[in-house]
Amino acid sequence: MWQTIALLRQLRHNSYDLAIDACNGSQSGRLLLGIVKARFKLGFPDIRANAGSLWHSLSWPDHLARRSVFLLRTAYAGKVDRPYETLNLRLSDDERQQAGKALTAVLGGTQQAAAGRPVIGIFANATGAKRYGETWWKEFVDALQAAQPNLLIVDVIAEHGQTQLGGDFASYYTRDLRRLASMIANMDGFISADCGVMHLAVASGTPTIGLFSVTSSSKYSPYGRSNTAIDTGSMSAAQVAGKVSAWLTGTLPAERQTSLPLSTRSQ
């Protein structure tokens, strides 16, 4: 409760040029949009309070990340058919280079990095029912390594500071989001449960696959480029690992493909 009160005070204290509520039907989102001080405000109309709005006839994007852009484009210029850009943090060369050195250190120095093996990050944490257990992740990682034994896995540790992959892999921890994104930007691929770090990985530019167990992948999946999602509800961890392995085979840069086993490359 106190965190919510602090957030409301912060929103009231700041002034914004533009505020957007992208959640159609969210009462809390509508409340926050109402109390924030902004020169311009955008949100989806309430069909009960404004049944005659022409906005109701528009085809809204299903993916939540595209809705803010849709609202802004429609309000500013009417219907716009341009493709939606993917998320992009626009990391600087210096940020990437510093994180690259840190990744080399995490992997044990230059010897492993020079081997040309694909480096894959895994973020195993999520909130509530979106979170997979440690037993699930152990089965997943074992199956993934069996399919692609040359992968170098980096365990990206959540804010609570505890590994969920058993402590058997190189690990990285930071609370600095840009530093984390820069680290992910130096990896060849990223595997994540459905959470904010998944979208941060997308914004870093690294190919990302999200694992969805309860929420809608059509609304919240990583999108753009070669990013994708797997709905894991009816699948075992080993089956999910098989799909992730196939995705990696089709996604890793060509120069990294030569380091994969021939049996994997032929799938």
Side-chain angles (χ1 to χ4, degrees):
M1 181 180 66
W2 298 115
Q3 289 180 335
T4 301
I5 292 174
L7 172 63
L8 295 175
R9 286 179 175 174
Q10 181 181 357
L11 286 173
R12 287 294 297 169
H13 177 74
N14 296 330
S15 296
Y16 302 93
D17 295 311
L18 173 65
I20 301 177
D21 172 21
C23 298
N24 178 34
S26 170
Q27 294 300 318
S28 58
R30 192 171 299 276
L31 173 64
L32 293 174
L33 186 66
I35 68 172
V36 73
K37 293 186 291 184
R39 185 181 178 190
F40 299 104
K41 298 182 180 183
L42 285 174
F44 291 99
D46 189 332
I47 193 169
R48 294 167 296 182
N50 192 358
S53 174
L54 294 177
W55 284 70
H56 295 309
S57 63
L58 299 177
S59 178
W60 302 340
D62 194 26
H63 201 289
L64 200 65
R66 297 176 176 175
R67 291 188 182 178
S68 294
V69 179
F70 166 80
L71 286 168
L72 184 58
R73 284 178 174 177
T74 304
Y76 184 75
K79 184 179 180 181
V80 179
D81 293 329
R82 291 201 312 272
Y84 289 90
E85 297 293 336
T86 191
L87 303 176
N88 188 349
L89 273 175
R90 302 186 186 279
L91 298 168
S92 68
D93 291 340
D94 183 62
E95 286 176 307
R96 293 173 183 271
Q97 290 170 5
Q98 291 299 320
K101 295 176 182 177
L103 179 59
T104 297
V106 164
L107 293 174
T110 59
Q111 184 174 0
Q112 284 184 312
R117 296 167 62 186
V119 178
I120 305 299
I122 296 181
F123 188 77
N125 195 48
T127 57
K130 297 187 295 184
R131 187 173 184 267
Y132 299 90
E134 290 188 20
T135 301
W136 189 96
W137 279 110
K138 178 174 177 19
E139 182 183 346
F140 171 86
V141 171
D142 286 348
L144 183 62
Q145 287 186 303
Q148 299 204 26
N150 283 348
L151 293 181
L152 285 174
I153 293 176
V154 177
D155 182 5
V156 178
I157 306 296
E159 188 174 13
H160 52 58
Q162 298 177 348
T163 179
Q164 292 169 246
L165 298 183
D168 298 326
F169 304 99
S171 62
Y172 181 74
Y173 173 82
T174 181
R175 299 183 67 181
D176 186 309
L177 295 182
R178 288 195 70 88
R179 189 171 296 173
L180 176 56
S182 300
M183 174 65 77
I184 296 172
N186 281 273
M187 298 177 182
D188 297 294
F190 198 77
I191 303 164
S192 177
D194 172 23
C195 63
V197 173
M198 176 186 73
H199 298 295
L200 187 72
V202 173
S204 77
T206 291
T208 301
I209 187 165
L211 308 183
F212 285 72
S213 59
V214 292
T215 50
S216 170
S217 61
S218 64
K219 282 188 177 181
Y220 303 107
S221 68
Y223 74 95
R225 297 190 294 267
S226 56
N227 304 311
T228 190
I230 298 175
D231 291 306
T232 68
S234 61
M235 303 169 62
S236 69
Q239 289 173 324
V240 175
K243 286 187 172 294
V244 171
S245 176
W247 173 77
L248 286 171
T249 300
T251 303
L252 290 175
E255 63 270 19
R256 297 291 199 181
Q257 292 288 342
T258 57
S259 65
L260 295 178
L262 288 174
S263 60
T264 303
R265 297 206 304 272
S266 65
Q267 289 180 357

